[in-house]
């Protein structure tokens, strides 16, 4: 097997690659800390350390001198039997005073009441401050105004305010015509100026601290997923910000913007995270091309804070610094053109043997440490002659669950479509592409091959297969074998496939390796376009996006949504030839369709005359049935890679009789489903509409 290293994607570990995420080449041998609960907030202390708070109200302090996180659980000055912390959602810092809000319950007064946690020593100790007379005043959205007032909107639409840094609280009744208990989002710039949104998506502005409101406004545009919904089930996943006459709304994973005087919401394209300074003087946002931008107004060009930044899970402005937090990097502090990373290293615990490593002689092995299973930034470990493990470097190479040595000086991390090679001598990391993976197999002619469909049924597996043997230059199969819990039977068939056709396909797969789908794999002919547009007439009737009740379920009027989706798909189909191969591959991997033949697995296995085996398989994961070129997984000599080649699907269709294949497999081999998959992926990426089709009685757009 030959390997190909693209010089364009080659990066030196000790410079650009580590700088990409603000990492240093420090290679101490201390273990990573894995937080049990997610980090919900952080800030810089007066000593320059970063204090991180988790959802269960644990705390860590970074130790820059020791490159470590130090556990620093806050002390709560309260009888532990008199309060409970079920969730912390937001922490506000008012100089030395720190307020933590969320679902906190106190029973000090003899009955259960909501509470906030308050500290006067920068978060080292906290007291419990009761709020109101019930348990509905959850302060997850705790915030402050420009002039120092602290406020939040609770779960039943009440606004709570404090003028003494959280020591005492008042509930402010919202005036009519705001429906009682109907407020869903609220933000205030000062003690007197603010905005509120109710359950009907009406907006109310106040200039006198909610003594009265200006006549409500409402967006008149159709509610499609390119606009916010403000539905109840977005609770705690939505945040409205009123900044310099601009409304910014985070709803789930989507961001929207609108001028406050017209309410014409637009998706904030290319932006994934946003943060407002505590004093509301500046706004910072992360763009999908890896840049951190900052501005004091949208009327002037924004300033670039940093580039090459991975998407933060948490973004904060803290004085003259911007802090971007990810669980696999820890907080990264951007300040005056510098970046400093505080990875979650233990202060003293020695690194343990990794669970993912090579299996060679002692002293020759390499391994990977992930903070979390889906971590982008991973630790690369190396074993010494005594069997002890040491951190070699840290790399942003994506989720990595496979490590292997190739030759004498190369280690390959990852599998399938995410493979990276580390040259141990030059200290360079490259994207690793599989080229000519079948060369060794093809040195001997194919003697036979088998096509198989396996489907899980209750407590057994139903398997159908055909087996082809070479006779006089032709591969022949005489029976379809059907094995189920009821026994084994066979149907007589007569299928013949020329040896030359099989050899040509395998040579094509060898030449292609793990290359992503190319633009010319599917040619958009007038006939194909017409077939696709006919399909769009009924396609969205079968789209579970419109009838699954979850955080991304669309609002009412699905016919409006479907019309918008249909128009988008028609526009996007013309852009498919211009997409990168990586985008087309991502569309195949992201495809979701729920068929009736649950848990089907398709496989083709070849055996050559030397007794070596080569296999390709498609196994549905997460109820996904892929279309056309669907990433078959090639497996040979210990390697696994994705194969985006429609020739394999064509061979499978030729080798399995109609009664041996689920109808869906043949249906999905139509080119229109490739177009649908790519358009659906683009709709999800650009508009937040993630489609998931169900297989019902009629397949949309199918030829009769």
């Amino acid at each position: 097997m030959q390997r190909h290293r693209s010089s364009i994607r080659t990066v030196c570990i000790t410079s650009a690659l580590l700088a990409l995420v603000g990492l240093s080449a420090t290679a101490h041998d201390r273990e990573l800390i894995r937080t049990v609960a997610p980090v919900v907030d952080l800030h810089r202390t007066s000593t320059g350390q970063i204090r991180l708070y988790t959802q269960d109200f644990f705390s860590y302090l970074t130790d820059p001198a020791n490159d470590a996180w130090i556990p620093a659980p806050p002390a709560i000055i309260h009888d532990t039997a008199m309060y409970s912390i079920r969730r912390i959602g937001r922490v506000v810092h008012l100089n030395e005073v720190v307020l933590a809000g969320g679902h906190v319950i106190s029973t000090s007064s003899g009955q259960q009441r909501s509470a906030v946690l308050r500290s006067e020593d920068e978060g080292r100790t906290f007291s419990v401050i009761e709020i109101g007379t019930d348990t509905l005043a959850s302060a997850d959205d705790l915030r402050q105004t420009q002039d120092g007032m602290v406020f939040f909107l609770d779960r039943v639409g009440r606004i709570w305010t404090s003028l003494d840094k959280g020591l005492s609280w008042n509930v402010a009744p919202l005036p009519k015509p705001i429906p009682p208990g109907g407020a869903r989002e609220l933000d205030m710039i000062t003690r007197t100026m603010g905005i509120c949104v109710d359950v009907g998506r009406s907006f109310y502005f106040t200039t006198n601290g909610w003594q009265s409101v200006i006549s409500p406004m409402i967006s008149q545009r159709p509610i499609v997923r390119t606009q916010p919904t403000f539905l109840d089930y977005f609770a705690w996943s939505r945040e409205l910000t009123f900044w310099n006459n601009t409304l910014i709304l985070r709803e789930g994973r989507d961001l929207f913007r609108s001028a406050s005087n017209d309410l014409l919401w637009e998706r904030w394209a290319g932006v994934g995270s946003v943060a407002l300074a505590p004093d509301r003087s500046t706004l910072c946002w992360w763009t999908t091309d890896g840049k951190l931008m900052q501005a004091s107004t949208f009327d002037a060009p924004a300033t670039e804070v940093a580039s090459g930044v991975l998407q933060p899970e948490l973004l904060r402005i803290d004085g003259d610094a911007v802090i971007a937090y990810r669980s696999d990097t820890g907080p990264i502090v951007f300040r005056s053109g510098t970046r400093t990373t505080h990875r979650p290293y233990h202060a003293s615990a020695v690194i343990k043997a990794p669970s993912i490593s090579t299996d060679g002689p002692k002293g020759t092995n390499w391994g990977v440490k992930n903070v979390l299973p889906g971590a982008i930034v991973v630790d690369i470990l190396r074993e010494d002659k005594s069997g002890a493990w040491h951190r070699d470097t840290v790399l942003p190479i994506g989720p990595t669950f496979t490590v292997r040595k190739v030759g004498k000086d190369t280690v390959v991390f990852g599998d399938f479509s995410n493979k990276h090679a580390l040259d141990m001598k030059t200290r360079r990391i490259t994207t690793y592409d599989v080229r000519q993976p079948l060369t060794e197999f093809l040195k001997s002619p194919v003697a036979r091959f088998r096509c198989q469909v396996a489907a899980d049924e209750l407590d057994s597996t139903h398997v159908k297969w055909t087996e082809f043997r070479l006779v006089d230059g032709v591969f022949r199969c005489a029976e379809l074998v059907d094995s189920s819990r009821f026994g084994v039977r066979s149907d007589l068939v007569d299928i013949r496939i020329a040896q030359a056709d099989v050899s040509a396909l395998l040579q094509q797969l060898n030449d292609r390796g793990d290359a992503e789908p190319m633009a010319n794999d599917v040619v958009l002919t007038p006939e194909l376009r017409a077939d696709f547009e006919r399909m769009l007439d009924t396609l969205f009737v079968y789209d579970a996006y419109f009838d699954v009740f979850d955080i991304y379920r669309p609002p009412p009027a699905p016919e409006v949504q479907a019309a918008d989706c249909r128009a988008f798909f028609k526009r996007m189909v013309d852009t498919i030839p211009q997409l990168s191969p990586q985008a087309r591959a991502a569309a195949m991997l992201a495809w979701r369709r729920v068929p009736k033949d649950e848990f089907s697995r398709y496989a083709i296995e070849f055996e050559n005359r030397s007794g070596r085996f080569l296999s390709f398989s498609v196994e549905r994961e997460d109820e996904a049935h892929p279309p056309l070129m669907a990433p078959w997984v090639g497996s040979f000599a210990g390697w696994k890679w994705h194969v985006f080649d429609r020739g394999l699907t064509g061979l499978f269709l030729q080798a399995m009789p109609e009664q041996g294949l689920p109808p869906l497999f043949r249906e999905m081999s139509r080119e229109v489903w490739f177009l649908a998959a790519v358009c659906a992926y683009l709709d999800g990426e650009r508009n937040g509409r993630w489609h998931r089709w169900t297989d019902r009685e009629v397949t949309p757009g199918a030829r009769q």
Side-chain angles (χ1 to χ4, degrees):
M1 179 183 295
Q2 299 180 8
R3 273 75 59 183
H4 169 73
R5 297 176 177 83
S6 171
S7 59
I8 296 176
R9 292 178 287 176
T10 300
V11 186
C12 178
I13 288 177
T14 56
S15 57
L17 192 60
L18 295 181
L20 179 68
V21 288
L23 301 172
S24 68
T26 303
H28 56 65
D29 297 329
R30 283 180 275 110
E31 188 60 272
L32 286 163
I33 293 175
R34 291 170 171 81
T35 58
V36 175
V39 171
V40 295
D41 225 321
L42 48 80
H43 80 112
R44 286 188 302 167
T45 67
S46 57
T47 60
Q49 296 173 285
I50 306 296
R51 184 181 289 273
L52 303 100
Y53 296 93
T54 61
Q55 194 176 60
D56 58 357
F57 204 52
F58 195 79
S59 175
Y60 294 92
L61 275 172
T62 62
D63 181 4
N66 197 31
D67 193 19
W69 285 16
I70 308 299
I76 299 180
I77 306 172
H78 207 78
D79 186 343
T80 56
M82 305 295 284
Y83 73 91
S84 66
I85 301 173
R86 301 178 184 178
R87 177 188 66 248
I88 293 296
R90 178 66 65 85
V91 180
V92 172
H93 309 278
L94 308 164
N95 297 322
E96 74 285 350
V97 174
V98 179
L99 297 176
H103 194 14
V104 182
I105 304 297
S106 171
T107 56
S108 297
S109 58
Q111 67 181 70
Q112 290 190 341
R113 294 181 176 180
S114 294
V116 296
L117 303 172
R118 186 177 188 274
S119 170
E120 296 184 353
D121 55 9
E122 288 196 288
R124 289 185 287 274
T125 62
F126 282 83
S127 55
V128 179
I129 307 296
E130 287 191 350
I131 299 177
T133 59
D134 55 40
T135 61
L136 300 176
S138 297
D140 290 80
D141 198 25
L142 198 62
R143 282 188 263 182
Q144 60 180 305
T145 62
Q146 289 176 347
D147 48 6
M149 184 179 77
V150 185
F151 69 95
F152 68 90
L153 184 71
D154 70 12
R155 289 189 289 170
V156 289
R158 300 174 299 190
I159 178 174
W160 295 83
T161 60
S162 174
L163 300 177
D164 53 10
K165 298 184 178 181
L167 194 59
S168 61
W169 292 85
N170 296 302
V171 60
L174 295 174
K176 294 182 178 180
I178 301 175
R184 283 295 174 265
E185 292 299 320
L186 182 143
D187 193 23
M188 298 192 70
I189 299 175
T190 65
R191 300 180 187 185
T192 58
M193 184 176 294
I195 185 172
C196 172
V197 188
D198 70 9
V199 291
R201 300 174 71 246
S202 294
F203 283 72
Y204 305 85
F205 294 89
T206 184
T207 57
N208 55 16
W210 302 112
Q211 296 180 40
S212 63
V213 295
I214 299 172
S215 297
M217 300 172 60
I218 186 169
S219 174
Q220 298 301 315
R221 287 189 175 184
I223 306 174
V224 295
R225 200 62 205 103
T226 54
Q227 297 187 36
T229 64
F230 293 102
L231 296 183
D232 289 350
Y233 50 76
F234 277 97
W236 320 125
S237 295
R238 182 179 56 215
E239 184 174 61
L240 178 69
T241 299
F242 188 17
W243 183 70
N244 287 355
N245 295 319
T246 299
L247 301 177
I248 302 168
L249 180 77
R250 177 183 61 82
E251 192 169 71
R253 58 188 166 199
D254 301 318
L255 280 167
F256 304 91
R257 283 197 307 181
S258 173
S260 59
N261 62 349
D262 60 20
L263 298 186
L264 297 178
W265 290 102
E266 298 287 350
R267 178 177 293 276
W268 197 353
V271 175
S273 302
V274 64
L276 181 65
D279 62 1
R280 296 176 175 263
S281 60
T282 59
L283 191 78
C284 181
W285 61 92
W286 176 87
T287 64
T288 52
D289 59 355
K291 293 180 180 179
L292 280 180
M293 308 299 294
Q294 193 167 9
S296 56
T297 173
F298 282 133
D299 296 329
T303 301
E304 182 178 309
V305 176
S307 60
V309 181
L310 296 175
Q311 181 168 12
E313 299 167 16
L314 195 63
L315 188 62
R316 292 288 183 264
I317 300 175
D318 194 325
D320 61 349
V322 174
I323 307 176
Y325 171 82
R326 289 176 54 90
S327 55
D328 53 1
T329 63
I332 304 177
V333 181
F334 300 91
R335 184 184 184 193
S336 302
T338 66
R339 65 176 79 190
T340 305
T341 301
H342 303 271
R343 288 206 84 217
Y345 292 126
H346 200 282
S348 58
V350 177
I351 200 165
K352 300 175 183 177
S355 57
I356 302 170
S357 65
T358 57
D359 189 23
K362 183 184 291 188
T364 66
N365 291 306
W366 290 76
V368 172
K369 277 275 185 177
N370 299 304
V371 175
L372 294 170
I376 300 297
V377 180
V378 299
D379 290 52
I380 306 300
L381 310 184
R382 191 171 188 174
E383 186 186 36
D384 66 19
K385 293 181 180 179
S386 69
W389 287 88
H390 307 276
R391 182 171 285 103
D392 182 82
T393 190
V394 180
L395 297 175
I397 58 177
T400 305
F401 305 102
T402 306
V403 183
R404 60 170 65 85
K405 291 186 71 174
V406 178
K408 185 178 180 181
D409 301 316
T410 303
V411 185
V412 176
F413 302 95
D415 221 330
F416 302 112
S417 296
N418 180 45
K419 300 180 292 298
H420 295 82
L422 170 62
D423 189 308
M424 293 179 280
K425 286 188 175 180
T426 64
R427 306 296 299 159
R428 299 178 78 83
I429 187 79
T430 64
T431 299
Y432 188 93
D433 297 323
V434 175
R435 289 292 181 265
Q436 299 183 334
L438 312 182
T439 299
E440 291 298 317
F441 181 84
L442 294 177
K443 287 181 178 179
S444 178
V446 175
R448 68 181 186 90
F449 69 92
R450 169 189 282 201
C451 294
Q452 177 175 295
V453 179
D456 294 339
E457 295 180 349
L458 299 177
D459 57 350
S460 64
T461 302
H462 188 180
V463 183
K464 298 178 182 180
W465 72 86
T466 54
E467 186 162 324
F468 291 78
R469 296 185 180 274
L470 185 61
V471 179
D472 297 331
V474 177
F475 286 102
R476 299 184 180 186
C477 174
E479 65 175 347
L480 167 68
V481 182
D482 187 334
S483 175
S484 68
R485 65 182 183 276
F486 301 111
V488 179
R489 67 183 182 87
S490 65
D491 295 330
L492 295 180
V493 297
D494 183 13
I495 306 174
R496 305 185 183 196
I497 302 174
Q499 179 186 21
D501 292 343
V502 174
S503 299
L505 173 61
L506 292 179
Q507 186 58 57
Q508 176 179 315
L509 297 176
N510 190 42
D511 294 339
R512 185 158 186 165
D514 61 356
E516 290 92 353
M518 299 297 148
N520 59 0
D521 281 334
V522 174
V523 179
L524 189 60
T525 63
E527 294 77 16
L528 178 57
R529 178 192 296 277
D531 198 13
F532 181 61
E533 292 190 0
R534 282 194 299 271
M535 177 186 190
L536 293 180
D537 290 338
T538 55
L539 176 67
F540 300 105
V541 175
Y542 306 89
D543 190 350
Y545 169 73
F546 296 104
D547 55 25
V548 175
F549 190 87
D550 61 21
I551 195 170
Y552 295 109
R553 179 177 182 263
E559 65 277 3
V560 176
Q561 286 272 45
D564 194 73
C565 293
R566 189 178 301 113
F568 180 83
F569 276 42
K570 286 182 178 180
R571 293 195 305 272
M572 289 301 102
V573 73
D574 289 314
T575 70
I576 292 177
Q578 286 77 49
L579 292 176
S580 69
Q582 292 77 20
R584 285 188 286 269
M588 297 298 98
L589 294 168
W591 174 260
R592 289 293 174 266
R593 176 171 175 130
V594 187
K596 289 184 290 188
D597 60 306
E598 295 184 357
F599 310 117
S600 294
R601 295 178 294 279
Y602 309 94
I604 310 176
E605 184 179 73
F606 299 90
E607 181 183 0
N608 65 15
R609 290 180 181 174
S610 298
R612 303 193 72 176
F613 290 90
L614 163 68
S615 69
F616 299 94
S617 63
V618 175
E619 181 169 351
R620 285 219 325 274
E621 297 178 358
D622 301 325
E623 296 183 325
H625 193 300
L628 192 61
M629 298 178 240
W632 292 83
V633 174
S635 179
F636 177 65
W639 287 91
K640 290 185 177 180
W641 67 98
H642 281 135
V643 180
F644 296 94
D645 192 288
R646 59 189 304 179
L648 270 175
T649 302
L651 176 62
F652 204 87
L653 289 169
Q654 188 178 0
M656 289 293 291
E658 185 171 348
Q659 65 268 35
L661 272 177
L664 182 61
F665 189 91
R666 292 187 181 277
E667 167 64 24
M668 294 300 291
S669 68
R670 296 172 58 211
E671 291 180 327
V672 287
W673 285 108
F674 172 79
L675 303 182
V678 177
C679 291
Y681 172 75
L682 295 175
D683 202 13
E685 285 291 310
R686 300 182 186 184
N687 300 320
R689 296 185 293 221
W690 296 97
H691 301 273
R692 186 169 176 265
W693 277 278
T694 57
D695 188 40
R696 302 178 182 174
E697 293 304 315
V698 179
T699 303
R703 296 186 180 92
Q704 302 298 322

